Amino acid sequence: MRRFLIHTAILAGIAAIGAVLVVWLGLFNVSARSGHLPGVSWVLHTTFRNAVELRAPPADAVPDLSDPDLVALGARHYDGACRVCHAGPDEGRTATMLSMLPAPPPIKEAVADWEPQHLFWIVKHGVKMSGMPAWPTRTRDDDVWPVVAFLTRVPEMTLAEYEELVAPPELPADAAGADVAYCASCHGADGRGRGNAQVPRLDILGEAYIAASLTAYRTGARQNGIMHHAASTLDATGDARLARFYGAQQPSPASDPQSDSEPGGKRDHITLGRDLAMGSAASADVPACSACHGPWPDRLSALFPRLAGQPEPYLLRQLELWRDGERGGTSRAHLMHQAAKDLTDGELRALAAYYASLKPGEAR
Ligand code: HEC
Ligand code: HEC
Ligand code: HEC
C-alpha cells in the first residue's frame, strides 16, 4: 500500500511538471488553424449549452417582444455591432470570420436552438474564450431586449427585408459633411427617430445637452448598451459635430401625435400629469418639473432637456430609471434623482403621457 502511494505521488509529480512545461515552453498550440483535439469541441459546446440553460432567466420573465419598434431598434443595433461577425440573414460571412475558432455561426443558425430567455442571456453575458462579446453595459436589462426581439424574427427574415429595416433614410445635402448616416439609421436625419417610439427625438434637444449626453454614454456615466456602442465610435470632436447638426434641427409640430383626439380616460390621465408637472400635486421640497422642463418658450439651462413631444414609452422608461437610481447622465443628473425618487408608478405614467401629448414646436 505504501509503495502504491509513493508511485502515485511520483506519477502526479511528473504530470504536474509536464503541465508546467507545456505552459512555460509554449508547447500547447494556440493556433486557430489547428482546430481542437478530438472531443474538445463537444465538451466546450455541451458546457456552453448547459451553462446558458442553467443561468438564463425564467421564460415568464420575457417581456412582450412583438412591438415592431423594438424589432427595428434591435435590427439597427445588430447591424452596427453584430453583423460584422454573424452576417445578415442568409448573407455569407467574410473569409476572416470563417477563419475564427470557433467561427461565429451564421445568424439563422445561431438563433435556431434557443428560446428568447436564452438569447437574452447569451447577448448580455457573451461566451468566454470564443470571441462572442458581452453586452457593453451592465446595469440595465431593458436595452438588451430589443436585440432579442429582432433575433426572434430572424428565422423568417430574408436578406432583402433585413436590408430594408436597417438602411438609413435618405440624407439631406447638409447631412453629408456631418457623417450622420449611422446615427440617422435610428434617429433619422431630422432627429425625429423615424417614428420609432423606443428612440428619443433629438430635434427637440439643444446642442449642449446632446454633446454632454454623448460623452456620458461613452464614459459609461449614462448606461445604455446601444448608445454606449454608438458613442464609442466617436471622440470629442465627433460629439461636438453631431450635437451641432442635431441641435440645429427644428421640430415641426404639424405631424405630431395629438391629445385632442384622445379618448376621455386618457385625457384625464394627461390632466393629472399636467397638475403634477406644474407642481400642484408635488411635495414642498421638490421643485415642479415645469420649473426645469417647461413647457415654456425658453429653455432654462442648456443642460435641461425639453420633454414636449418626446415619445411616451421613452419618457416612461427614463422616469423609471431615474426613480430607481439607474439612470446617470451629465453633470446635472443628480437633480433628476431628487425630482423622481418619490413618484409612484401611476404618477410616472401620467407625467410621461402629459409631456408626450405636448406639441414640441409650440411649447419650447
Ligand atoms: C467578434 C465576433 C462576434 C461578435 C461581434 C458577435 N458575436 Fe455572437 N458569437 C460569436 C462566436 C464566435 C460565437 C460562438 C460561440 C460558441 O459557439 O462557443 C457566437 C455565438 C452567438 C450566439 C449563440 C449561437 C450558438 O452557438 O448557439 C448568438 C445568439 C449570438 N452570438 C448573437 C450575437 C449578437 C446578437 C451579437 C451583437 C450584439 C453578437 N453575437 C456579436 C462571435 C461574435
Ligand atoms: C441602433 C440605434 C441607435 C443608433 C445607431 C444611435 N442611437 Fe442614439 N439613441 C438610441 C436609443 C435607443 C436611445 C435611448 C437610450 C437610453 O435609454 O438612454 C438613444 C439616445 C440618444 C441620445 C440621448 C437623448 C436624450 O433624450 O437624452 C442622444 C444625444 C443620441 N442618442 C445621439 C446619437 C448619435 C449622435 C448617434 C450617432 C453617433 C446615435 N445616437 C446613434 C438609439 C440609437
Ligand atoms: C431641478 C431641475 C429639474 C427638475 C425639478 C426636474 N428635472 Fe427632469 N431633468 C433635469 C435635468 C438637468 C435632466 C438631464 C439630466 C442628464 O441627463 O444629465 C433631466 C432629465 C429628465 C428626463 C430625461 C429626458 C431625456 O431626454 O432623456 C425626464 C423624462 C425628466 N427629466 C422628467 C422630469 C419630470 C417628470 C420631473 C418632475 C417630476 C422633472 N424631470 C423634474 C432637471 C430637472
Side-chain angles (χ1 to χ4, degrees):
M1 183 66 185
R2 220 173 126 223
R3 268 177 65 176
F4 173 75
L5 284 178
I6 291 171
H7 284 158
T8 314
I10 291 171
L11 281 177
I14 292 172
I17 291 168
V20 167
L21 284 179
V22 167
V23 174
W24 207 252
L25 299 177
L27 297 182
F28 176 74
N29 189 357
V30 298
S31 161
R33 200 181 299 284
S34 64
H36 286 305
L37 292 170
V40 171
S41 288
W42 180 86
V43 170
L44 292 177
H45 204 78
T46 308
T47 309
F48 167 46
R49 172 154 290 281
N50 290 337
V52 172
E53 281 172 1
L54 178 70
R55 289 175 177 81
D60 59 10
V62 176
D64 178 10
L65 300 176
S66 60
D67 178 358
D69 285 350
L70 280 179
V71 177
L73 173 59
R76 289 163 188 162
H77 177 68
Y78 178 90
D79 201 61
C82 323
R83 186 182 191 173
V84 57
C85 283
H86 293 285
D90 300 327
E91 184 184 41
R93 287 162 296 163
T94 62
T96 301
M97 287 314 148
L98 289 171
S99 307
M100 279 177 70
L101 182 70
I107 197 60
K108 281 197 174 169
E109 213 173 277
V111 300
D113 296 337
W114 299 110
E115 299 293 324
Q117 66 273 20
H118 302 131
L119 292 170
F120 169 84
W121 194 92
I122 295 169
V123 176
K124 187 166 164 78
H125 296 281
V127 186
K128 206 181 276 187
M129 305 269 289
S130 77
M132 171 61 197
W135 193 247
T137 55
R138 283 167 186 265
T139 55
R140 287 170 67 175
D141 285 345
D142 62 283
D143 53 349
V144 180
W145 287 111
V147 175
V148 179
F150 161 69
L151 293 178
T152 61
R153 298 301 172 86
V154 158
E156 292 86 44
M157 201 178 276
T158 65
L159 184 56
E161 285 163 347
Y162 171 81
E163 297 281 17
E164 201 183 318
L165 205 52
V166 300
E170 211 172 302
L171 301 177
D174 64 330
D179 199 12
V180 296
Y182 170 50
C183 317
S185 70
C186 287
H187 291 287
D190 55 7
R192 301 189 63 190
R194 309 179 77 185
N196 189 319
Q198 301 293 330
V199 176
R201 294 177 57 162
L202 306 181
D203 59 337
I204 59 174
L205 303 175
E207 184 176 336
Y209 173 79
I210 295 177
S213 298
L214 288 171
T215 310
Y217 281 125
R218 186 167 50 253
T219 59
R222 180 169 172 185
Q223 297 250 316
N224 177 270
I226 292 174
M227 276 309 298
H228 195 29
H229 178 84
S232 67
T233 67
L234 305 170
D235 57 12
T237 332
D239 293 355
R241 186 185 72 242
L242 288 157
R244 210 174 317 116
F245 176 81
Y246 279 118
Q249 302 301 315
Q250 288 307 316
S252 80
S255 55
D256 282 299
Q258 271 320 301
S259 54
D260 311 343
S261 56
E262 303 283 11
K266 177 85 181 186
R267 263 205 310 278
D268 291 350
H269 197 53
I270 291 173
T271 308
L272 168 64
R274 190 189 59 213
D275 291 348
L276 286 164
M278 295 303 168
S280 45
S283 76
D285 49 329
V286 179
C289 321
S290 59
C292 298
H293 294 291
W296 315 126
D298 297 314
R299 210 190 307 276
L300 282 170
S301 149
L303 286 179
F304 291 1
R306 283 200 188 102
L307 307 179
Q310 204 57 289
E312 192 173 335
Y314 173 75
L315 287 175
L316 181 58
R317 177 67 41 76
Q318 300 299 309
L319 284 168
E320 287 166 352
L321 292 169
W322 286 123
R323 189 206 32 209
D324 301 341
E326 287 181 6
R327 201 193 125 162
T330 71
S331 55
R332 306 297 159 82
H334 59 284
L335 296 172
M336 268 312 296
H337 289 288
Q338 197 56 30
K341 72 179 179 4
D342 295 326
L343 295 170
T344 64
D345 286 344
E347 288 169 335
L348 295 187
R349 278 198 298 276
L351 283 160
Y354 165 64
Y355 276 110
S357 76
L358 296 171
K359 286 191 174 112
E362 283 173 356
R364 304 217 249 146

